[in-house]
Every structure is written in structure tokens, then in C-alpha cells.
Amino acid sequence: MAAQLYETTSGRLFHAGAVAVITVGLPARGKTHASSSLCRYMRWLGVATKVFSVGNYRRERLGSLSEDWFDPENTKATATRLNVAEECLNDLIDWLQTGGGQVAIFDGNNVTESRRKHIHDKLLSNDIHPLFLEFICNKQDIILANIRSVKISSPDYVGWDPEEAVKDYKHRIKQHEENYETITDTTLPFVKNMNAGEQFIVNNVIGYLQSRIVYYLMNLHIERRTIYFARCGPSLNDDSYKADANLSVEGEKYAEKLKEFMLTYHEQKNKDRPIEEQRILTIWTSTQKKALETAIPFVNAGIPVRQQSVLNQLNPGESDGLSPEELKEKFPEEVAKLRENPYRHRYPRAEVRHNDNINYI
């Protein structure tokens, strides 16, 4: 995919327009988790993104509500909640049109065809591209784990007995099930996520940002895992990128100690976990010599090691090998630009962090 070449005056990617992501599905299916995670990813890519949570709007305006408010037969309550959802949608549209936003995530249930049609038509009439994300889950263990780990700790259940909160939330799900209609309109752009990533159905998804969103969702997971970051060992020439130097003697000693520490630490962590939650240790390294050589002790110990070129150090271009003082003397204007915008700045003939994120991730 092409990197962003320039911005419009609104700050948007020049070729993508405004996009609204609309979540669909019953409660406790992972919509909010995916919304917040997707928002962080898009912001990391440099795209102005914001989540508009219907649940938060409801709590701010109506407080915590009893189960009667979610009864589909309670027409007054349904109308009130719909008005709140519409206010949330209007704020989303306003932010995309006048607030400098490019991707807005409408985090709600949106379980009926008529509601989705209304949202779809309203967004298109405001020149906003809609993308529906439906989360379907029929595995009760995943649903219950989501309720216990997230939902009963929400503001709706402050002060509740945990078991009573679980019981109440299950009843809320039952109430939504009565009106739930899965997406069947193939004219809509949508993605269906089945059982937390077991299967994906992608339909009529067109556009640069939409494709990035689908890519990210297909690599999103809900299981907890730990990522450890470690520097590679010192090399024979740490000041030069182009030299791609081998590890020094000190670096080789560091690599061996790093392996010993990580294997001992990981083994101890696994002892404290149930068998089903234990994970194997996998090492990811760049393709540069000092990084590969730092991973050799892990290879010798039988630990899987994967080489990833996207982990390589950014090419510093003409700034390669220069000290901070030499940089200020040779490139005073570039140093000032770096301080102003380190994410998009590049030295002459160098790589830039923003373009690498867009191209590789």
C-alpha cells in the first residue's frame, strides 16, 4: 500500500475521505474492545480517529438504568435510548465534518436492519463512507468470560454483587436477542467476525482505510499475552547504520545472559499459570547482524526465532554516524523540524517513521 504523500488542509489522508465504522452485535461480543483497539491502531498510523460510544452517552445522560429500560416492549424507554444514540451519531458526523476527524467509530449494538439502513443513509448523505463490523459469538465460555472480565466492572454495576451483575447482564442480552437481525443486505460494506476471530466474512469493502481496518481486525486477538522488549547487544560499531557491524565480545556476553534471564523468567511465569494459559516463548528479531547474533543463544536453546525486516532500525540517511553535536552543526534546520514533528520528520536520504508504519504494518 502507498504511503501518505501529503495531507489536505483538513489533515486527512488525501485519498481516503471520511469513514464511519459502525459496530453491530449483541452485548458481550467484543465490540467495545475492538473499537478501542482499532482506534489506537488508526491513531498510531497517523489517522485522526475517535470512538463514539452509545453506552457512554446513555450513562452520562440517563445514569445507570434498570433492566426495564432494555425491555423491547417498553416503547418509551426504547425511544429515549434511541434519541441518545441519535445524538451520539450526530456528534460523530459533526466531528468528521468540522472537528478534523477522519475515522469515527460508532460503538453500539445496532441490531436491526432498519436501524442500520437509517445510519447508512444518513452517513452517505453527509459524504461519509460507512463500514459495518458485526461481532457474532455462539460460544458461551467466551461470552461469560467477557461478562466477568469487563462488563460487570462497568459503571452500570458499581456496588453490585458480581453474581447478581452477571445474572442481570445475561438478562439484558436476552432482551436484545428478541430484536436481533444479523446483516443480510449484501449492498452494505461489512465485516463479520465469528467467535472472536475463528472466521471472517468480508463483503463489499472498498477503500484504502477500510482495507487497513479489515487487515487489523483479522489480526486482532482477545487472549492476554505478554510482549517483552529487549535491546540487542553492543556491536563493533554502534555509531554506524551502514556498517551493520557484528556483536562485540561484550555483546556476545550480553546475548547469553539475556537468554538465561528470559528462559528462567518465562519458566517461572508459566508455573503460575493454568496449563491452558501457558504460552511458548517466541523471539522476533530484525535482520541486522547485531540483532540476529543476539538471538543465537535462543536458537541454540531450541527457542523459535523469527526474522522480521520491519523491526530493522530506520535508515538515518546522511545523519548516519553523526553525534548530536555534529547533527546540530551540519543540519540545524532539520534538528528543529525533528523537534517539531518527530513522527513525520526525515533527515536527507533517510527513512521516516510515519511512512514505515503505513507501508509495513
Side-chain angles (χ1 to χ4, degrees):
M1 293 183 180
Q4 176 183 356
L5 300 181
Y6 61 88
E7 292 180 351
T8 62
T9 54
S10 67
R12 292 177 177 172
L13 295 175
F14 74 99
H15 52 337
V19 177
V21 178
I22 307 98
T23 64
V24 176
L26 294 170
R29 265 57 179 181
K31 300 185 299 297
T32 297
H33 167 72
S35 296
S36 58
S37 184
L38 176 62
C39 182
R40 289 194 298 270
Y41 172 69
M42 299 307 293
R43 287 177 175 175
W44 181 73
L45 289 180
V47 181
T49 308
K50 184 177 180 180
V51 175
F52 289 81
S53 169
V54 175
N56 287 343
Y57 268 64
R58 170 180 56 77
R59 281 184 284 269
E60 290 170 0
R61 287 150 182 78
L62 304 176
S64 297
L65 303 176
S66 65
E67 63 179 36
D68 294 341
W69 275 82
F70 301 95
D71 185 349
E73 300 299 324
N74 188 338
T75 56
K76 182 178 179 181
T78 300
T80 300
R81 289 189 293 109
L82 189 59
N83 287 337
V84 172
E86 197 67 12
E87 181 184 354
C88 182
L89 180 61
N90 290 335
D91 286 350
L92 177 152
I93 293 172
D94 183 64
W95 182 73
L96 287 175
Q97 291 183 330
T98 64
Q102 179 149 26
V103 173
I105 303 171
F106 190 54
D107 180 19
N109 296 319
N110 305 306
V111 295
T112 65
E113 285 281 7
S114 60
R115 178 61 181 163
R116 293 191 290 270
K117 181 68 165 56
H118 166 75
I119 294 171
H120 174 268
D121 293 347
K122 188 168 185 174
L123 291 171
L124 286 183
S125 68
N126 285 279
D127 197 25
I128 298 169
H129 306 292
L131 173 61
F132 292 88
L133 305 182
E134 183 173 11
F135 295 82
I136 300 172
C137 185
N138 53 25
K139 292 191 173 182
Q140 294 304 312
D141 56 333
I142 296 178
I143 297 171
L144 182 59
N146 192 17
I147 294 174
R148 291 191 178 279
S149 64
V150 179
K151 298 305 180 182
I152 65 173
S153 60
S154 78
D156 285 342
Y157 294 105
V158 173
W160 280 58
D161 173 77
E163 293 306 317
E164 288 298 316
V166 169
K167 181 180 178 181
D168 182 84
Y169 202 83
K170 284 183 175 180
H171 183 66
R172 184 183 298 185
I173 294 175
K174 287 289 185 183
Q175 291 174 320
H176 280 85
E177 285 178 348
E178 296 182 23
N179 290 327
Y180 179 46
E181 299 169 334
T182 188
I183 298 177
T184 57
D185 185 355
T186 55
T187 65
L188 297 180
F190 65 78
V191 178
K192 292 193 179 191
N193 183 340
M194 320 289 285
N195 290 324
E198 283 187 358
Q199 180 184 4
F200 284 88
I201 299 174
V202 181
N203 178 78
N204 200 24
V205 175
I206 302 171
Y208 172 75
L209 288 179
Q210 292 90 326
S211 298
R212 300 314 302 249
I213 290 168
V214 172
Y215 165 81
Y216 180 72
L217 291 172
M218 294 181 72
N219 288 277
L220 183 63
H221 59 81
I222 61 173
E223 295 179 354
R224 292 189 176 184
R225 63 189 67 189
T226 303
I227 299 175
Y228 305 97
F229 291 90
R231 295 291 299 269
C232 57
S235 74
L236 295 172
N237 187 355
D238 276 339
D239 294 329
S240 175
Y241 168 87
K242 296 177 182 178
D244 195 16
N246 297 94
L247 284 183
S248 63
V249 174
E250 180 185 356
E252 293 174 351
K253 293 179 180 178
Y254 165 86
E256 189 64 36
K257 290 182 178 179
L258 177 64
K259 182 265 297 184
E260 293 174 358
F261 170 79
M262 281 306 307
L263 293 188
T264 301
Y265 184 78
H266 185 258
E267 181 181 359
Q268 184 60 48
K269 294 288 286 186
N270 266 346
K271 285 182 179 179
D272 299 333
R273 296 188 178 108
I275 294 178
E276 63 273 11
E277 294 183 9
Q278 293 183 6
R279 302 184 64 86
I280 64 171
L281 180 66
T282 302
I283 307 299
W284 284 25
T285 175
S286 79
T287 59
Q288 293 173 287
K289 290 179 182 178
K290 59 183 179 181
L292 291 172
E293 293 176 5
T294 301
I296 286 177
F298 290 95
V299 175
N300 295 336
I303 304 300
V305 175
R306 300 179 184 176
Q307 300 178 36
Q308 304 284 351
S309 62
V310 296
L311 297 177
N312 287 353
Q313 176 188 348
L314 293 179
N315 187 336
E318 294 181 14
S319 68
D320 184 39
L322 299 181
S323 67
E325 291 73 21
E326 291 170 329
L327 280 174
K328 291 178 182 178
E329 181 178 348
K330 187 173 182 179
F331 301 109
E333 294 182 358
E334 296 297 331
V335 170
K337 291 178 182 177
L338 173 64
R339 290 173 179 170
E340 182 179 342
N341 193 346
Y343 185 65
R344 288 185 169 86
H345 172 267
R346 75 164 87 227
Y347 282 103
R349 306 182 70 82
E351 290 180 302
V352 59
R353 193 177 308 279
H354 171 71
N355 283 4
D356 282 349
N357 290 345
I358 293 291
N359 284 329
Y360 297 147
I361 301 302

